[in-house]
DNA sequence: CATGAATGAGCATTCATTCAT
DNA sequence: TATGAATGAATGCTCATTCAT
């Protein structure tokens, strides 16, 4: 009765469930995504699910961690690049491309709905941190080479790039006329203008009343 | 003969429940916000809740509609202004200020989590439409006077202002270092640069690989 | 601040509620007949209902008592008759006619559904008793004059007349093809045959296996 | 690989719940029979109930369908009989015997109370139809052989047999002195007289005033 | 008396999770 | 390891009833 644990098979199954979870969570939100629905989508029995994830929340965390891991991988792939501005714009572009998978914005919304769960908040914070850790060195290098505006600290610039990327994702998911195809280039262009700091600081507040 | 029409009392109660709902939904998300918790917060019995809202979802819709109504009111208050760019930046600024009430971003996240409910999606779409209807005439006037870039159709510019506003809201709710106080002015400044169209179009795609 | 109790007005209101209750109970059954629905039908406020009946059940009891009272009145109207068989058949006929008001069988069904409530069971028993009290003397007289079979005690005959009347009511309410108009005469004819005792006793059990 | 198909176990459980439902419904009526009470009676958890029946109403329908099925089985068991009258009286007798299980009349009352639910009405109609389908061929054969009166169409005779059977059931459940044991034979005898048509038609309406 | 807003006990039903096989 | 039957805590919602006006 030897039962090889066969870690490959295990990992494959795990990814299969993660894919099903992503699909169902995106479609129906956290509460709408019953474990039963996820299992059906994954083609497994309800008991099997809990062999791989102790709770439904843990599945969500696993998906988030997968995203974080991808961010880290992205960092490695950029080793050797010498054009900080280009790198930053490439990153923005690649995040825009992520939004083309319709499950991504749906999943992001689903997660937003359970951000009050401490574990989810923590995973989201970790994801955010990974994104910043990826951006910061390139921002700093860009500022050093003069390609990136220096009137704002790197951390703040990172936040604003995240703002653009997050806002873009939301638009795609909410606004039918706003698609990755048609708007991606404008995202990159807008980010470039922001990073260059054109027309910035000095007269920033003119013409607006609080 | 009883005199109980008192629509004032009714409206007051209704707003009291809406306030409690806003608080609890922001804190705990849609599912975490049990009707029991909302009633406790509002200081009413569970039955009373359903005198005012037939459904928990209907409370959410009422809150959203309140927001839509505020947008419409804002439009009226702008009558007579002759500086389209100033108006647009004021609007951005006022949306940024909305984010200062910590319940707003929390509520927005909660709603995102149930956007798969058709009624919620519809209300959100109506809200979006009201926002665009508010922006579009000013964008068009700004283009006519030359204050606003003309390389993009008005509808697209409206989407991008919504992107900035939405991204801002998300950042505030996710990133502790990103506060309305410190970032509001930069939002307005960034929007101005975007609306002016500095450094746009021509070289937009340079330096980014898809 | 003189408030004349005006017992007439009170009684009228009471009957109005009873009528509404009869209608709604017949249509929707006991549980489906919410007090709110009855009040709407009666055109009164929900509070008013409880000025006339302490509980919903009490309304049901009041309706049943009304029926019992009618039975008693019927008894009085028969004073002076000298044809026991004719009286009995007239009674059967008049009960059949009651079933022509479509609310009656519906109400009977509704009451059957809450017969497990002791108060309802008691009222129903009282109704049954009134019916028997009405029948028994005429059965006895009929047996004395030889018009009615004597092989069964009067109480049993009364039960069987109730059986015919109850079964008739049920058929009318369940079977679209079975109407008071078409079946009333056959009911009376069948009851007559039963009361006369044609073909009875001796060979009753032949040809049937238990 | 799990082996849990075990449809036998499933069916057994199902019947166990049906039995408990029959008991509790008969005792307390539809509304009084809370799912909690039924589960307690059946010795199962509340969740288990809904593995077997999607709805409390569906349990009622299942019980009714069981009855309909029994009627159909009865039909099969009569194949080969050549005495139509005997068959009809046997059927009446067997329905009387059903009433000996005290849960049957109680259940019938409970169902009467929710006949306004369309699904219940439909199931009841199906039951009625099955009963008629069982009776009709034997009535027709009886008329052909001259054993059964021919002054009434078969469908009407079927209705009247149902009237007798339904009235009997009601009496048993309402009248303590009316028991299956003491009245069964009289039911059969009365049905026989009715089927033979003794003393019928011609003078049917004499002596009764409408 | 008449009213209808307020109440909260009570109920059907859902669903994440467990566990025997 | 895979399964799905069993579980019961938790929740949204209903409705008879009360009571201040």
């Amino acid at each position: 009765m030897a039962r090889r644990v066969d870690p490959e098979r295990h990992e494959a199954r795990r990814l299969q469930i993660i894919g099903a979870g992503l699909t169902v969570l995106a479609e129906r939100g956290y509460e709408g995504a019953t474990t039963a629905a996820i299992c059906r989508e994954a083609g497994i029995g309800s008991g099997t699910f809990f062999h791989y994830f102790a709770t439904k929340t843990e599945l969500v965390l696993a998906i988030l961690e997968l995203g974080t891991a991808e961010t880290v991988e992205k960092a490695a792939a950029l080793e050797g690049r010498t054009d900080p501005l280009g790198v930053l714009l490439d990153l923005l572009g690649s995040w825009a491309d992520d939004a083309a998978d319709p499950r991504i914005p749906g999943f992001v919304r689903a997660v937003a709905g359970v951000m009050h769960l401490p574990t989810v908040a923590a995973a989201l914070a970790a994801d955010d941190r990974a994104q910043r850790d990826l951006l910061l060195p390139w921002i700093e290098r860009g500022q050093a080479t003069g390609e990136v505006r220096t009137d704002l600290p790197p951390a703040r610039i990172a936040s604003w790039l995240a703002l653009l990327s997050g806002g873009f994702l939301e638009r795609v998911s909410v606004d039918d006329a706003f698609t990755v195809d048609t708007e991606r280039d404008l995202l990159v262009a807008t980010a470039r203008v922001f990073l260059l700091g054109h027309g910035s600081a000095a007269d920033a507040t003119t013409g607006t009343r609080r």
Side-chain angles (χ1 to χ4, degrees), chain A residues 69-95 130-139 141 161:
Chain A
E70 271 173 27
T71 301
V72 171
E73 278 166 31
K74 233 168 234 174
L78 294 169
E79 293 290 333
R81 289 281 290 271
T82 56
D83 51 332
L85 183 58
V87 165
L88 291 170
L89 297 180
D90 281 356
L91 284 171
L92 258 290
S94 82
W95 287 330
Q131 215 176 102
R132 305 176 79 82
D133 289 347
L134 173 50
L135 292 170
L136 279 173
W138 296 105
I139 294 173
R141 278 174 233 176
L161 293 181

Side-chain angles (χ1 to χ4, degrees), chain A residues 1-20:
Chain A
M1 270 197 216
R3 288 255 183 61
R4 260 95 36 83
V5 189
D6 199 344
E8 254 178 64
R9 207 170 180 69
H10 189 272
E11 190 56 19
R13 198 73 134 163
R14 196 180 138 89
L15 285 174
Q16 171 192 5
I17 298 174
I18 283 182

Side-chain angles (χ1 to χ4, degrees), chain A residues 46-127:
Chain A
S46 65
T48 308
F49 179 94
F50 292 93
H51 278 312
Y52 291 87
F53 303 97
T55 62
K56 192 170 85 165
T57 303
E58 213 159 85
L59 168 63
V60 173
L61 300 180
I63 302 179
L64 286 172
E65 274 155 27
L66 215 60
T68 306
E70 271 173 27
T71 301
V72 171
E73 278 166 31
K74 233 168 234 174
L78 294 169
E79 293 290 333
R81 289 281 290 271
T82 56
D83 51 332
L85 183 58
V87 165
L88 291 170
L89 297 180
D90 281 356
L91 284 171
L92 258 290
S94 82
W95 287 330
D97 292 337
D98 287 345
D101 178 346
R103 303 180 315 176
I104 300 298
F107 175 73
V108 167
R109 282 200 313 268
V111 168
V114 285
M115 239 189 75
H116 55 100
L117 301 179
T119 49
V120 173
L124 234 28
D127 203 43

Side-chain angles (χ1 to χ4, degrees), chain A residues 149 151 197-209:
Chain A
R149 70 199 291 179
D151 62 331
H198 281 169
S200 62
D203 47 315
T205 58
T206 315
T208 182
R209 296 180 312 206

